Amino acid sequence: MTDSRDELAHLDAVSALRAFRSLELSPVELLDAVVGRAERVNSWINAFTETLHEEARAEAERAAEAYVRAARSQEPTPPLLGIPLATKEKHNLAGRRIEQGLATHAGRVADSDHPVVERIRQAGGVIHARTTTPEFSCATVTHSAMWGVTRNPWNLDATPGGSSGGAGAALAAGMTTLATASDIAGSTRVPAGFTGTVGYKAPYGRIPGLPPLSGDWYRGDGPMGRTVADTALLASVMSGRHPADHTSWGPQDVPIALPEDPVAALRGVRVGLSVRLGDFPVDPEVEAATLDVVVRLEKAGAVVVPVELPWTSDQVMRTIFAHFGQILGPAMEQESGDVETLAPYAQRFIADARRQAERTSLVESLALDAAMQRDLATAMADVDVLICPTNAVTALDADGDYLDGIDLGGHHHGHYWEAHLTSPFNVANRCPVLSVPSGAAGNGVPTGVQVVGHPFDEEPVFRVAAGIEALVPRTPWPALGR
């Protein structure tokens, strides 16, 4: 039997805002549902580093009062007013700890809000919790000595992915309505794929970050939600030029257009299909789910065009680690102070990045980037968007380190990141990419597909993702213990 409190906790943000404006639902009621759900199930999931319930309830009460006033005056309300939102721990909240899972950062406190946090607060969002990550957000599993193991609500033996694993787990479990994420090799899309949620990697600079690492052209901050519309809503709030980040660009608070009839909007859209992005070893269940999406798209009138990419997973790993060896790896070494205190997966990341940087200069790594970008542009020349799986595997272990690589497709691969098809689009980081659900594997863990757009062209990505969302049947959210 479904608990009505759990149904409310899983209510999407767009529907909640509509109910707030009509005074059919109070922001306090929604926050209480989300907090109550977390109190009942987070012991299984472990998705939060801390909660801010007292402050959040006061904000929700103020939002409820604002909706009553707005109903009388007919004045507009801020775009996220009263919506519960969990922020990734790395997104600074002024006066709160900013530790990134690192023992050497224990007790460190932020002196200002991250740009995306600032914008969420300006938009009326109610920040009630902060979500777990692996150390320095450098893994696609989410566990650390500081915060413990974060588990997937769909299968507690599995990871929700990483590095925004706490965000994906909290959304799927009904412990928040919206969440913030970040992405440098798939850290938004990997957990979206594994948790049946939606994650958006915007074009580089579209969403402001925090200098100096916002200058890394592979990375970006972004939104996660349970629906495409919710994710578009949060993206519109987060996006746009910000004085703190000179790489940021474009307007703020401009809604991302979504079709009224998302299935009809697919007619005539040319969709490129690449199941393996070259030679990535994709699990048969993942491939079957992706091809099921293709059948549904074709029945809706989309034109699906198989495309070939000459990439190899070895080439992708060499390219990205040459880049990481120039920026992120040295930053991690500098920030940690003592590499020996880091988790094994973080030590392995630094070692791999250092090794590749010793072999490949920055100029050579730019040439590697350019080669992959040219291949993608050629493959997408005759299509509006490209689709491919988000993750190549049906699950990773919740507490796995994968220091010795991973067995995929009957072969051993040197790096477990080859279990994800996300990092090529950080190399091609001007491309907008959404991960949306495509089904579920036999182990209960969701599968996802990525919708990849041409550089800076966001609207087709959201249009096709909304169509896929409308076509793929949604399974009930995990009950957890009942």
Side-chain angles (χ1 to χ4, degrees):
M1 182 175 179
T2 303
D3 189 324
S4 60
R5 297 172 300 173
D6 293 346
E7 288 185 358
L8 183 55
H10 279 101
L11 183 68
D12 63 279
V14 171
S15 297
L17 287 166
R18 193 181 304 120
F20 291 165
R21 294 185 192 109
S22 66
L23 304 185
E24 297 173 18
L25 177 68
S26 164
V28 175
E29 292 176 288
L30 181 57
L31 179 66
D32 285 349
V34 165
V35 169
R37 172 75 173 165
E39 289 173 345
R40 293 192 296 278
V41 305
N42 191 45
S43 59
W44 284 293
I45 305 303
N46 186 37
F48 294 154
T49 66
E50 66 174 328
T51 57
L52 295 77
H53 293 165
E54 186 175 333
E55 302 97 315
R57 201 166 204 285
E59 291 176 18
E61 289 170 351
R62 287 193 290 271
E65 292 167 0
Y67 278 111
V68 172
R69 291 194 301 271
R72 297 188 189 118
S73 66
Q74 298 300 303
E75 292 183 359
T77 52
L80 294 180
L81 185 61
I83 293 295
L85 195 143
T87 57
K88 191 171 182 176
E89 195 270 353
K90 70 176 291 181
H91 291 144
N92 295 14
L93 270 66
R96 293 281 174 174
R97 293 191 303 275
I98 179 67
E99 298 169 331
Q100 299 200 67
L102 302 176
T104 53
H105 285 193
R108 183 178 291 189
V109 174
D111 58 9
S112 62
D113 285 344
H114 189 284
V116 300
V117 170
E118 175 189 314
R119 287 187 165 165
I120 286 163
R121 285 178 160 160
Q122 290 171 349
V126 176
I127 299 173
H128 66 96
R130 305 177 74 197
T131 59
T132 53
T133 68
E135 291 184 357
F136 225 109
S137 295
C138 75
T140 65
V141 292
T142 296
H143 60 82
S144 68
M146 178 173 284
W147 295 320
V149 179
T150 300
R151 299 183 180 277
N152 194 320
W154 300 91
N155 180 332
L156 297 178
D157 292 327
T159 183
S163 63
S164 307
L171 284 164
M175 301 195 303
T176 191
T177 305
L178 293 173
T180 69
S182 63
D183 198 313
I184 198 168
S187 285
T188 300
R189 292 160 287 148
V190 168
F194 278 148
T195 60
T197 59
V198 179
Y200 181 45
K201 185 204 74 66
Y204 174 61
R206 185 71 183 100
I207 294 173
L210 196 64
L213 289 182
S214 58
D216 183 344
W217 56 94
Y218 272 28
R219 71 163 306 283
D221 300 289
M224 291 183 72
R226 285 189 288 266
T227 69
V228 171
D230 280 10
T231 307
L233 170 67
L234 184 52
S236 69
V237 167
M238 296 167 73
S239 295
R241 190 179 301 112
H242 192 288
D245 180 5
H246 203 62
T247 69
S248 60
W249 57 272
Q252 184 190 0
D253 286 334
V254 175
I256 294 171
L258 293 176
E260 290 186 12
D261 186 339
V263 175
L266 292 169
R267 294 189 194 113
V269 175
R270 293 182 63 80
V271 178
L273 168 67
S274 181
V275 174
R276 288 182 172 79
L277 295 183
D279 75 344
F280 276 84
V282 175
D283 185 278
E285 286 190 89
V286 174
E287 180 173 4
T290 304
L291 296 179
D292 178 69
V293 169
V294 168
V295 170
R296 294 174 188 276
L297 287 170
E298 289 179 324
K299 287 181 178 178
V303 179
V304 178
V305 182
V307 301
E308 296 294 333
L309 280 154
W311 298 336
T312 66
S313 56
D314 286 345
Q315 172 196 4
V316 173
M317 290 300 112
R318 179 190 173 200
T319 299
I320 65 174
F321 274 95
H323 175 91
F324 295 144
Q326 304 293 341
I327 303 175
L328 184 57
M332 290 171 62
E333 289 194 73
Q334 179 179 312
E335 283 289 311
S336 67
D338 182 1
V339 172
E340 297 300 317
T341 66
L342 297 177
Y345 59 76
Q347 294 186 43
R348 169 70 190 274
F349 178 95
I350 290 172
D352 287 346
R354 186 192 303 121
R355 188 180 306 112
Q356 196 59 59
E358 290 169 353
R359 300 171 180 166
T360 312
S361 70
L362 176 58
V363 172
E364 289 169 330
S365 78
L366 293 176
L368 294 174
D369 285 357
M372 287 187 61
Q373 292 161 358
R374 182 176 58 249
D375 291 340
L376 181 61
T378 300
M380 292 185 63
D382 193 36
V383 298
D384 300 305
V385 299
L386 172 75
I387 66 168
C388 65
T390 304
N391 298 305
V393 297
T394 61
L396 293 176
D397 294 339
D399 57 356
D401 283 321
Y402 296 100
L403 300 181
D404 298 322
I406 191 170
D407 292 322
L408 300 168
H411 300 281
H412 186 76
H413 293 259
H415 203 289
Y416 76 103
W417 281 14
E418 293 176 77
H420 317 291
L421 285 76
T422 50
S423 57
F425 308 112
N426 297 90
V427 178
N429 204 20
R430 276 70 177 176
C431 295
V433 189
L434 266 168
S435 178
V436 292
S438 62
N443 59 9
V445 176
T447 57
V449 292
Q450 297 178 95
V451 183
V452 183
H454 290 280
F456 308 111
D457 196 4
E458 296 180 285
E459 187 275 334
V461 169
F462 278 89
R463 180 178 5 134
V464 172
I468 293 172
E469 179 181 62
L471 292 170
V472 174
R474 170 71 75 177
T475 54
W477 294 104
L480 290 168
R482 288 187 293 100

